[in-house]
Amino acid sequence: MPPRTIAGGAELGAAIRTRREELDMSIEDAAQRAGIGSETWRRYETGSNLRKDKVRAVCRALRWSVLPGTSSTEPDDDDLGEDWNEYDPKKDGLYVAGLELNFGLDAAKTFAWGSDVVLDHIKGDLEELGRQPRGTHLGELGHSWLDGALPEQWRVRYDYDFVFRLKATIDQIRRTAPAAESVMMPRLAQTVGEGVVVRLILEQGDVFADMYGADTDGWPDWYDAIVEPDWIIDLMYDGRYMSEDGPWAFENWFDPTIPLPDLHDYVTPEMVEKAFGLAAVSDGDETTSN
């Protein structure tokens, strides 16, 4: 995992548990205040290491100015910069050559780092959903990172099976993307579900890259280059209603037989109208939406 950790142990775990109990908070309450999963909080109380980027949130939840045994509530800025500068995605097997060749090393780092962090978030939500009755969706959890990171229209349908599909998708992308050793930009998303996953990866990777002083303001351009056409995903995230019987409806997100159009595919006005209720304007071989 790219982000550095602070050593846990029985003493720190006991201190976290004792402080939580002093504040009359359940594990779920404390985890929600910290913005992490309940299972992650349980691991902290049993002595697991804390990721440095979570320390401030844990201290905030417990009303501590500092974490016991440390001098601050957050990692040192120099350490953060060192983390980013020294991070080598090739060592983790997550290096995508096309990203570096077209957009620079920070782009390749952002993708690798972001995929690691998003996978961690997804695993945390899966752990929480696995403790709930079948059919529970992300909106019913006390806290879920994914709940606020996915298109709002289908919130009540983001159940365990769906989140597991996201996890399987990000695992697949992490295996296949580094194999695209080419000067050409790899197309990492073939389906809507893959497009959503790539967006989550680049957004989250950009958060950490910016925190560590890297200039990654161009990530929407990277996204546009590896998810074609990205306007379908953009409309979903902009709150545009998607028809249940359209070509890219929720049930088809992971269907390889109903992929996102390729760059030069002709998307008919009827397809766009059926999907989003929008008129489409053709520009040569490409079609965009109004």
Side-chain angles (χ1 to χ4, degrees):
M1 185 74 183
R4 292 184 175 185
T5 60
I6 290 178
E11 185 174 349
L12 179 57
I16 292 174
R17 182 179 64 254
T18 299
R19 179 59 173 170
R20 174 180 60 78
E21 292 172 348
E22 288 175 352
L23 296 174
D24 196 25
M25 287 192 294
S26 67
I27 287 178
E28 289 71 21
D29 290 338
Q32 184 174 7
R33 289 173 181 269
I36 61 177
S38 299
E39 187 60 30
T40 299
W41 189 280
R42 288 188 180 91
R43 290 198 297 267
Y44 291 164
E45 291 196 359
T46 57
S48 294
N49 294 345
L50 280 75
R51 273 181 29 188
K52 282 191 171 184
D53 56 289
K54 300 296 184 185
V55 171
R56 179 191 294 177
V58 170
C59 288
R60 182 175 63 246
L62 297 176
R63 302 176 193 171
W64 276 337
S65 59
V66 298
L67 196 67
T70 67
S71 59
S72 70
T73 61
E74 58 186 320
D76 182 80
D77 289 342
D78 290 338
D79 285 345
L80 293 177
E82 184 180 353
D83 274 355
W84 183 262
N85 291 331
E86 293 186 355
Y87 175 52
D88 183 0
K90 294 179 181 179
K91 292 182 178 179
D92 287 344
L94 298 174
Y95 173 72
V96 181
L99 278 171
E100 179 178 6
L101 290 170
N102 287 272
F103 300 110
L105 181 57
D106 278 346
K109 287 185 177 183
T110 296
F111 175 83
W113 196 299
S115 72
D116 219 5
V117 174
V118 172
L119 184 60
D120 186 55
H121 284 311
I122 289 176
K123 287 179 177 178
D125 278 356
L126 272 178
E127 289 175 348
E128 291 297 306
L129 286 170
R131 296 174 179 272
Q132 306 301 321
R134 184 175 182 178
T136 300
H137 61 79
L138 293 175
E140 296 177 287
L141 300 181
H143 172 78
S144 163
W145 177 83
L146 275 174
D147 184 39
L150 294 169
E152 186 178 3
Q153 180 176 344
W154 302 276
R155 187 184 188 198
V156 299
R157 302 173 73 175
Y158 298 144
D159 57 9
Y160 186 95
D161 182 69
F162 171 79
V163 176
F164 190 88
R165 289 296 297 271
L166 283 184
K167 176 182 176 295
T169 299
I170 194 172
D171 282 336
Q172 177 184 352
I173 290 175
R174 282 159 60 91
R175 289 193 303 270
T176 59
E181 297 289 343
S182 169
V183 295
M184 301 296 293
M185 278 302 305
R187 189 176 186 226
L188 301 185
Q190 304 295 326
T191 65
V192 170
E194 291 170 350
V196 169
V197 164
V198 173
R199 183 187 182 103
L200 294 176
I201 288 172
L202 292 182
E203 281 187 333
Q204 191 67 8
D206 182 62
V207 169
F208 281 83
D210 182 65
M211 182 190 306
Y212 298 169
D215 181 11
T216 58
D217 290 340
W219 83 260
D221 293 331
W222 315 342
Y223 182 72
D224 182 47
I226 60 182
V227 179
E228 299 169 347
D230 64 323
W231 58 262
I232 295 174
I233 312 298
D234 288 342
L235 287 174
M236 291 165 46
Y237 271 92
D238 286 344
R240 179 74 64 172
Y241 178 79
M242 179 181 280
S243 171
E244 292 292 334
D245 61 353
W248 307 294
F250 183 76
E251 287 77 7
N252 300 330
W253 276 20
F254 299 100
D255 189 342
T257 68
I258 310 178
L260 290 167
D262 205 343
L263 179 63
H264 299 295
D265 286 348
Y266 179 70
V267 180
T268 67
E270 290 75 19
M271 290 174 66
V272 180
E273 177 70 26
K274 190 172 185 180
F276 293 102
L278 298 171
V281 178
S282 179
D283 180 15
D285 289 335
E286 300 180 44
T287 295
T288 56
S289 56
N290 285 336

